[in-house]
Amino acid sequence: MSKKLKIGIVGCGGIANQKHLPAMKANSDLCEVVAFCDIIPERAEKAAKEYGTEGAKVYEDYHDLLANPEVEVVHVLTPNVAHCPITVAAFEAGKHVYCEKPMAHNTADAEKMIDAWKKSGKQFTIGYQNRFRPEVQNLKKACDKGELGDIYYGKAHAIRRRGVPTWGVFPDKSKQGGGPLIDIGTHALDITLWCMNNYDVESVTGSVFYKLGELEQATEGNLFGPWDPKTFEVEDSAMGFIRMKNGAAISLESSWAINMLESREASTTLCGTLAGAEIRSGMSYAKDELIYNRGRNGQLMEESISSAGAIAFFDGAAGSAGVADNRQWLEAVLNGTQPLVKPEEALVVTKVLEAIYEADRTKQEIRF
């Protein structure tokens, strides 16, 4: 491919600098970043100097970036409540869109994004880069081959013992729409639904807790330093139970702060009729693991990926999930192929997360 896609970034905060811009730098044979926008101009200027092309444009208003005819692809990397209006406007301006997870903070906004995408004829994907981790890819292939049999129960793990983000607007409900459920629970649920290849939801129940966020003593030992209990507006943990139309079930656990020993994040447990599988990732684990379990030769067995295979997919810039996610997205736009993360799948995740919040508020089961 000789063509380089011209990218515009809307939102130059943490996720842009930690994931997207380094990934684009690693994939500079496919793209170049020509425009940066942030409501704090200094952040956009800093990102432009570090990652932009010579003469990269800097904007404070995303409408001005979208009016730039040079920009072909827009990455929407803002707080959650801004995803919908920016994405819709980008499609109306004729741009391809990569939107960070979650797709939106509620179903109504997510559906507006889907409608705008379908009218545009452009490419669209959501930032679930954990699908590109090697152990997740291995598990997905095993599920698709039927090696687990009929997968009738899954557990989506997004537990941090004390891992409240203390930067940006994470505790601000008006900008994020929620706390750990919508922030990290979304990744665990995406992995679980994708591996099960089951998006037909029957009903959802759930409980949402506001227990530790406002407690001063609960801030002790937080990975990112103490948070401010006075500005903590979102839940600190949330649990959901999802019934699927084929009888399968999924339990979802999420927390930024909870008095639980095991911190397990962006992970899934799957139970099938032929075998089970567990992905173990998070603060309690020195490395990501995938363990299959089944009966064989009269005994119960546990199998994991050999460490000898690590050279085939190594940690670091060239092998990171974020870089792999970015590359397949760029190639999908260039080649007119389907991105791995389909918007319709991300919509189901958003619907389930909103249903858990609603089930807690109404104390009722939410039917789909």
Side-chain angles (χ1 to χ4, degrees):
M1 303 177 201
S2 58
K3 177 178 170 57
K4 286 189 179 184
L5 290 169
K6 292 178 171 52
I7 313 293
I9 303 294
V10 180
C12 299
I15 199 66
N17 287 280
Q18 295 166 17
K19 172 186 165 185
H20 291 263
L21 293 170
M24 291 177 198
K25 186 175 182 179
N27 290 321
S28 60
D29 59 316
L30 299 182
C31 70
E32 53 188 9
V33 189
V34 300
F36 298 79
C37 178
D38 198 283
I39 59 173
I40 301 174
E42 293 78 13
R43 288 200 303 209
E45 290 166 1
K46 182 177 181 296
K49 288 179 182 177
E50 187 171 353
Y51 294 102
T53 58
E54 185 176 351
K57 303 297 184 182
V58 173
Y59 303 98
E60 192 172 348
D61 186 330
Y62 71 85
H63 293 97
D64 294 332
L65 181 145
L66 296 180
N68 183 341
E70 188 180 18
V71 174
E72 300 170 281
V73 181
V74 173
H75 281 225
V76 180
L77 314 178
T78 63
N80 298 339
V81 298
H83 287 180
C84 176
I86 298 171
T87 296
V88 170
F91 283 130
E92 291 174 347
K95 316 297 186 184
H96 304 283
V97 178
Y98 181 121
C99 180
E100 249 306 324
K101 62 79 191 166
M103 186 175 185
H105 75 292
N106 61 41
T107 301
D109 275 6
E111 289 176 338
K112 290 177 185 176
M113 296 162 74
I114 291 282
D115 289 344
W117 161 58
K118 289 182 176 178
K119 291 176 184 176
S120 73
K122 297 297 181 179
Q123 292 278 32
F124 186 26
T125 197
I126 307 299
Y128 289 117
Q129 76 278 357
N130 284 290
R131 291 191 186 189
F132 291 87
R133 286 164 33 204
E135 69 279 4
V136 178
Q137 288 278 314
N138 189 298
L139 177 56
K140 174 62 173 173
K141 290 175 182 176
C143 293
D144 288 348
K145 290 179 180 178
E147 293 179 9
L148 273 62
D150 176 22
I151 304 172
Y152 56 89
Y153 178 65
K155 192 169 185 179
H157 308 270
I159 293 290
R160 295 178 185 172
R161 185 179 178 187
R162 290 293 189 281
V164 175
T166 54
W167 64 92
V169 296
F170 284 98
D172 187 336
K173 193 168 187 176
S174 68
K175 292 182 173 64
Q176 288 294 93
L181 179 62
I182 201 170
D183 177 44
I184 57 177
T186 189
H187 277 302
L189 181 58
D190 175 69
I191 290 171
T192 303
L193 291 170
W194 185 55
C195 287
M196 292 176 72
N197 192 28
N198 189 348
Y199 291 88
D200 294 324
V201 179
E202 176 80 17
S203 64
V204 173
T205 58
S207 295
V208 180
F209 300 103
Y210 300 80
K211 297 292 186 180
L212 302 186
E214 297 180 2
L215 295 180
E216 187 75 39
Q217 66 268 30
T219 70
E220 293 181 338
N222 190 54
L223 177 65
F224 307 112
W227 66 88
D228 184 357
K230 296 183 180 65
T231 61
F232 199 99
E233 302 174 350
V234 296
E235 82 278 359
D236 43 71
S237 58
M239 314 299 167
F241 190 79
I242 303 119
R243 296 181 185 275
M244 312 304 287
K245 289 181 180 178
N246 71 344
I250 298 170
S251 60
L252 168 60
E253 56 179 16
S254 66
S255 81
W256 281 341
I258 193 170
N259 290 319
M260 183 183 295
L261 286 176
E262 186 181 35
S263 296
R264 193 167 170 185
E265 185 179 345
S267 299
T268 189
T269 297
L270 300 180
C271 303
T273 52
L274 298 180
E278 293 192 18
I279 289 177
R280 297 177 180 177
S281 176
M283 293 162 64
S284 290
Y285 300 94
K287 64 176 183 177
D288 295 346
E289 299 176 321
L290 169 61
I291 302 172
Y292 293 101
N293 66 87
R294 70 190 88 203
R296 182 170 289 172
N297 301 322
Q299 294 179 305
L300 293 177
M301 304 288 291
E302 296 178 5
E303 305 164 346
S304 59
I305 298 174
S306 171
S307 59
I311 194 171
F313 197 108
F314 56 93
D315 290 332
S320 73
V323 172
D325 171 42
N326 178 253
R327 191 166 192 86
Q328 69 82 37
W329 160 243
L330 297 172
E331 289 176 342
V333 174
L334 285 166
N335 298 327
T337 55
Q338 174 68 59
L340 184 67
V341 181
K342 300 178 178 65
E344 299 93 333
E345 296 168 347
L347 174 62
V348 174
V349 174
T350 294
K351 285 182 174 180
V352 170
L353 298 179
E354 184 181 35
I356 292 172
Y357 287 123
E358 183 66 10
D360 177 77
R361 187 185 69 81
T362 61
K363 309 306 178 190
Q364 295 181 355
E365 182 181 51
I366 307 301
R367 307 284 297 185
F368 275 55

